[in-house]
Amino acid sequence: MSDPSAALVGGASEADNPTALRAALDDARAQIAAMQEELDETNRGVLALYAELDTQAQQLRQATELKSRFLAYMSHEFRTPIASIRSLTRLLLDHVDGPLTEEQEKQITFIRRTSEEFADMVNDLLDLAKVEAGRIDVSPAWFELVDLFAALRGMFKPVLVNPEVQLIFEEPQGIGQVFSDDAKLSQILRNFVSNALKFTARGEVRVSATPGRSDTGEEQVTFAVADTGIGIAPEFHAAIFQDFTQIGSPIQKRLRGTGLGLSLSKRLAELLGGRVDLTSEPGVGSVFSVTLPLRLPEARADGTADAAGERLTGAGTEA
């Protein structure tokens, strides 16, 4: 059996040997150098990957900008002939150049409605271009909900052609003035009301405003548009707010559209510091709502916009 004390002495002498220490140190240095070289190579790979991602992101931004410019240009160019068609049909239907036969009036009415639908499509495309370019300005100001509802009521009065559907605006209760962009809010509600009227054959479309508070205690207002229309199946609730999404239905097949209105409304709501929601059941009806802060988050406590009334800018668009 070997003597443990001898092994201990041998180990101690080896540890005290400068040559062995130097060799161990050189070996450790070599390992560190190898690890450093591997780390440097990994860093170079990461930097190259970041550079490639930056290049692709720049190319994507350029492509998006070109598409936005194209959409904006084409939409602008389409507006002039569309406006001319609408003006001419209005003159003909007003019998400026003489009476029309029943069939002529029917055909010209069809042309007018088609041109109006085409104009809505063009506006949707132009709005999409503005969203992607981030060129929507928000101009917040104090306004009364009573005035907003009155304007919307007057706007939809001429289009209420179905006697079996009532459009009801509830009187806002417990809500004072709101500091936001009333034009953008009006665009969201117009889109909600317009869709509700399209897909409601009988019953009512009811517009309401309810005060509340967020989880953080911030005062907010929820605007809801409830209808008794065809409703939307649960599996489509998430997709309905995506670009170019349309739900297949017998009514939808008879109506034209780009499927952009709800998507644009969602982006507008986010621009105003809020969100959109949907509750719906097929055959029962739908409730589209938008919840906004009582005061736009970017506004100062005195109710003026940042930078002494400078307009706030973000990504969003008309509905």
Side-chain angles (χ1 to χ4, degrees):
M1 181 179 295
S2 60
D3 186 358
S5 62
L8 183 60
V9 172
S13 61
E14 183 178 351
D16 292 338
N17 188 338
T19 302
L21 286 174
R22 190 177 298 108
L25 182 60
D26 290 342
D27 184 57
R29 286 175 175 171
Q31 292 181 13
I32 293 174
M35 292 176 62
Q36 183 63 47
E37 183 177 353
E38 183 178 352
L39 181 61
D40 290 342
E41 184 177 353
T42 301
N43 287 338
R44 287 193 293 270
V46 171
L47 290 176
L49 179 60
Y50 276 133
E52 184 177 352
L53 290 175
D54 286 341
T55 301
Q56 292 180 355
Q58 178 65 24
Q59 292 174 348
L60 180 60
R61 284 193 294 268
Q62 291 176 349
T64 300
E65 184 178 355
L66 288 175
K67 183 179 72 172
S68 299
R69 288 181 180 179
F70 172 76
L71 290 175
Y73 175 78
M74 293 305 298
S75 300
H76 178 74
E77 291 301 311
F78 281 144
R79 281 184 166 183
T80 299
I82 292 174
S84 299
I85 294 172
R86 296 174 70 180
S87 298
L88 288 173
T89 56
R90 190 179 302 111
L91 289 173
L92 291 172
L93 291 174
D94 288 342
H95 302 166
V96 174
D97 294 326
L100 301 173
T101 66
E102 182 178 349
E103 183 61 26
Q104 288 174 332
E105 189 149 352
K106 180 180 177 181
Q107 292 175 357
I108 294 173
T109 300
F110 174 77
I111 294 173
R112 185 192 64 181
R113 290 176 180 172
T114 303
S115 64
E116 289 174 349
E117 292 170 355
F118 190 22
D120 290 338
M121 295 181 190
V122 169
N123 288 334
D124 283 346
L125 289 173
L126 185 58
D127 290 339
L128 176 62
K130 290 180 180 179
V131 168
E132 294 182 342
R135 295 175 180 172
I136 293 297
D137 293 333
V138 176
S139 302
W142 290 104
F143 63 90
E144 297 281 354
L145 295 187
V146 175
D147 298 333
L148 175 67
F149 280 12
L152 288 171
R153 187 184 297 110
M155 191 177 303
F156 280 99
K157 188 175 181 180
V159 300
L160 290 175
V161 295
N162 185 353
E164 296 187 43
V165 178
Q166 285 186 303
L167 177 58
I168 302 170
F169 285 85
E170 294 184 358
E171 192 76 14
Q173 300 292 333
I175 305 174
Q177 289 186 322
V178 177
F179 185 79
S180 189
D181 190 324
D182 60 335
K184 298 295 184 294
L185 174 58
S186 176
Q187 291 159 9
I188 297 173
L189 295 179
R190 285 204 313 268
N191 183 69
F192 287 172
V193 173
S194 178
N195 281 346
L197 292 174
K198 285 180 182 178
F199 296 101
T200 303
R202 61 180 57 87
E204 67 176 30
V205 174
R206 183 176 295 269
V207 185
S208 63
T210 306
R213 289 187 179 274
S214 65
D215 295 337
T216 59
E218 180 185 28
E219 288 185 294
Q220 58 186 21
V221 184
T222 297
F223 299 89
V225 177
D227 64 60
T228 56
I230 61 175
I232 301 170
E235 59 266 27
F236 297 118
H237 286 191
I240 197 70
F241 289 104
Q242 297 177 3
D243 291 346
F244 303 106
T245 298
Q246 293 181 316
I247 305 302
S249 70
I251 296 180
Q252 180 70 67
K253 292 177 182 179
R254 293 189 284 104
L255 300 172
R256 297 178 180 87
T258 59
L260 287 173
L262 293 177
S263 171
L264 297 172
S265 295
K266 178 177 181 290
R267 300 189 193 192
L268 263 183
E270 292 171 350
L271 178 63
L272 297 178
R275 68 180 188 278
V276 294
D277 293 292
L278 166 65
T279 58
S280 184
E281 183 178 346
V284 176
S286 304
V287 180
F288 284 89
S289 61
V290 53
T291 301
L292 302 177
L294 192 65
R295 178 180 303 204
L296 194 66
E298 291 86 350
R300 294 202 300 255
D302 60 359
T304 59
D306 290 342
E310 190 175 86
R311 290 195 299 179
L312 306 172
T313 305
T317 187
E318 299 180 3

